[in-house]
C-alpha cells in the first residue's frame, strides 16, 4: 500500500466527499493507505503542503490569493472541488419558522471569525440586504468555544458548520433557521490542493480515481449509510444527527457530482473576498486552479 498524507483545515461532515474516500474504501481499492489529520495551531494545511509533510489538503481557492497579493510564488494548485456551496448555518435560540435575515439586526450573533467563513457570512448578510453593522457580531473564539459560549447563554444567534449546528438542535439548545449556502448560492468554497509535482504522480491519479468514486457515492448513497461509515470520525456526534447533517448537505447541492472547480463559482468567491476587502484584485482562475490529474 502507498501512503497518502491528507490534511484538512477543519474537520466536519461538510467535507464528506473527502472523508468518504477513506470510509467508503475507495482509497484502499486503489492501493492507497490514507493518513488523515486536521490542521492545528502552528501547522496549517498550507504549511504542511509547502514542507512536504502532506500530499493533499482540504483548503480553498481563497488560500492562494493572499500569497498572490504579496507577490509570492509557489507550485500549490487547487485541482478539485469539495464543496460548491458554503456549509454554515444560522442557529437561533428559539424556533422561528418565519425567520428572515433582517431579524439579525440589533441582535448578538456569535460569528465564526476565521477568514473565509467570516467573509462568506458578511457577503450573505449583504446579499440578503442587511447591513453588517446593524448586528452585534461577536468573536467567541474557535468553533468549540463558540458552541460552549452559546450553550452557556451568550448570543441570540450562532453561525456554525454541520454537524455542530444540528447537534445543538438535537439537544434542544438551538434551532437552525437559515443556511449561508442557500443565501449565497454556488461558490468555490473548499477544494483539494496539492503541489504540481505531486499531481503528476501515479499516486495522484489513483487518488483522483478514488475521489471521483467518493463524489458519486456521497450523492447517490442514503445519508444514514454514509453516516454509519463515517461515525468513527465523529465520536461526539449522535449518529442520527450526523445523518441529518449529511442529508442537508446533499439537498443543498454542496457536493455536485463533477470534481472540477467551476470558473463561475470561482468568480463568485472573488466577489465575496472583494466585498470583505481581503483582496485588491480579481486573481486569474488559471493562476490558482488546474484540472484534476487524469489517466492517459
Amino acid at each position: 500500500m502507498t501512503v497518502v498524507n491528507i490534511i484538512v483545515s477543519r474537520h466536519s461532515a461538510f467535507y464528506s466527499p473527502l472523508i468518504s474516500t477513506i470510509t467508503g474504501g475507495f482509497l484502499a481499492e486503489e492501493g492507497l493507505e490514507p493518513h488523515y489529520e486536521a490542521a492545528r495551531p502552528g501547522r496549517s494545511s498550507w504549511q504542511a503542503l509547502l514542507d512536504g509533510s502532506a500530499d493533499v489538503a482540504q483548503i480553498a481557492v481563497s488560500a492562494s490569493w493572499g500569497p498572490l497579493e504579496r507577490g509570492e510564488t509557489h507550485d500549490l494548485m487547487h485541482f478539485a472541488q469539495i464543496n460548491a456551496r458554503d456549509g454554515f448555518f444560522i442557529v437561533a435560540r428559539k424556533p422561528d419558522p418565519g425567520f428572515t435575515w433582517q431579524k439579525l439586526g440589533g441582535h448578538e450573533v456569535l460569528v465564526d471569525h476565521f477568514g473565509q467563513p467570516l467573509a462568506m457570512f458578511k457577503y450573505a448578510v449583504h446579499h440578503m440586504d442587511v447591513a453588517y453593522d446593524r448586528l452585534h457580531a461577536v468573536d467567541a473564539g474557535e468553533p468549540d468555544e463558540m458552541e460552549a459560549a452559546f450553550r452557556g447563554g451568550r448570543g441570540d444567534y450562532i453561525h456554525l458548520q454541520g454537524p455542530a449546528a444540528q447537534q445543538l438542535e438535537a439537544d434542544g439548545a438551538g434551532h437552525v433557521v437559515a443556511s449561508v449556502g442557500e443565501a449565497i448560492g454556488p461558490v468555490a468554497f473548499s477544494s483539494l490542493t496539492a503541489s504540481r509535482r505531486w499531481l503528476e504522480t501515479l499516486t495522484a491519479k489513483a487518488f483522483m480515481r478514488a475521489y471521483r468514486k467518493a463524489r458519486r457515492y456521497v450523492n447517490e448513497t442514503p445519508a444514514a449509510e454514509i453516516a454509519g461509515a463515517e461515525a468513527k470520525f465523529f465520536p461526539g456526534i449522535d449518529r442520527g444527527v450526523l445523518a441529518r447533517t449529511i442529508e442537508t448537505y446533499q439537498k443543498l447541492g454542496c457536493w455536485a457530482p463533477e470534481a472540477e472547480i467551476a470558473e463561475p463559482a470561482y468568480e463568485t468567491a472573488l466577489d465575496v473576498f472583494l466585498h470583505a476587502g481581503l483582496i485588491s484584485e480579481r486573481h486569474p482562475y488559471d493562476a490558482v486552479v488546474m484540472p484534476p490529474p487524469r489517466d492517459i
Side-chain angles (χ1 to χ4, degrees):
M1 299 283 276
T2 300
V3 173
V4 58
N5 293 301
I6 301 168
I7 189 167
V8 296
S9 296
R10 284 190 170 180
H11 178 61
S12 164
F14 186 44
Y15 307 111
S16 284
L18 177 57
I19 295 170
S20 289
T21 62
I22 302 169
T23 60
F26 303 113
L27 289 176
E29 287 175 5
E30 294 291 340
L32 301 179
E33 180 182 339
H35 177 256
Y36 175 97
E37 63 175 320
R40 58 183 185 272
R43 187 170 186 266
S44 69
S45 295
W46 189 265
Q47 290 167 331
L49 288 177
L50 286 175
D51 68 23
S53 58
D55 300 308
V56 62
Q58 167 265 312
I59 312 183
V61 294
S62 59
S64 293
W65 298 333
L68 286 173
E69 295 265 321
R70 296 188 294 270
E72 297 174 8
T73 59
H74 56 77
D75 75 339
L76 302 186
M77 298 296 289
H78 305 270
F79 65 93
Q81 69 171 348
I82 302 176
N83 294 291
R85 287 181 185 254
D86 185 294
F88 281 73
F89 302 92
I90 307 301
V91 181
R93 288 209 170 272
K94 298 178 181 179
D96 187 1
F99 174 83
T100 65
W101 285 75
Q102 284 70 27
K103 291 186 177 182
L104 296 178
H107 287 89
E108 189 173 71
V109 186
L110 307 189
V111 179
D112 191 318
H113 275 60
F114 192 62
Q116 177 157 291
L118 178 59
M120 293 281 174
F121 179 79
K122 287 181 176 179
Y123 189 77
V125 168
H126 165 74
H127 202 59
M128 301 306 286
D129 297 319
V130 180
Y132 183 72
D133 59 9
R134 282 191 56 222
L135 53 93
H136 181 200
V138 175
D139 182 357
E142 294 296 321
D144 56 344
E145 295 171 322
M146 291 171 59
E147 184 180 345
F150 190 76
R151 288 179 182 273
R154 188 171 185 190
D156 302 304
Y157 298 92
I158 187 170
H159 167 233
L160 288 172
Q161 268 183 324
Q166 287 73 19
Q167 188 67 58
L168 277 176
E169 192 166 56
D171 294 342
H175 302 270
V176 175
V177 293
S179 157
V180 178
E182 197 168 51
I184 295 176
V187 64
F189 191 88
S190 54
S191 53
L192 292 176
T193 312
S195 68
R196 288 181 183 272
R197 182 178 60 181
W198 186 79
L199 289 168
E200 293 173 354
T201 66
L202 293 175
T203 300
K205 292 184 171 106
F207 176 90
M208 197 63 214
R209 287 194 297 270
Y211 185 64
R212 288 188 186 277
K213 292 174 187 176
R215 289 200 74 84
R216 289 194 296 271
Y217 166 83
V218 296
N219 278 284
E220 298 171 359
T221 305
E225 184 176 334
I226 299 171
E230 289 187 2
K232 63 185 178 183
F233 276 71
F234 300 95
I237 300 297
D238 177 84
R239 184 82 60 92
V241 167
L242 185 58
R244 285 195 296 276
T245 304
I246 291 168
E247 184 177 25
T248 298
Y249 284 137
Q250 288 174 325
K251 290 179 177 178
L252 274 173
C254 293
W255 306 326
E258 60 274 8
E260 291 73 13
I261 299 168
E263 192 162 357
Y266 176 86
E267 293 295 328
T268 300
L270 286 170
D271 292 340
V272 169
F273 275 69
L274 283 165
H275 176 263
L278 296 175
I279 55 175
S280 62
E281 61 180 289
R282 301 188 76 87
H283 298 287
Y285 176 82
D286 292 342
V288 174
V289 178
M290 67 180 290
R294 294 183 180 275
D295 289 321
I296 299 174

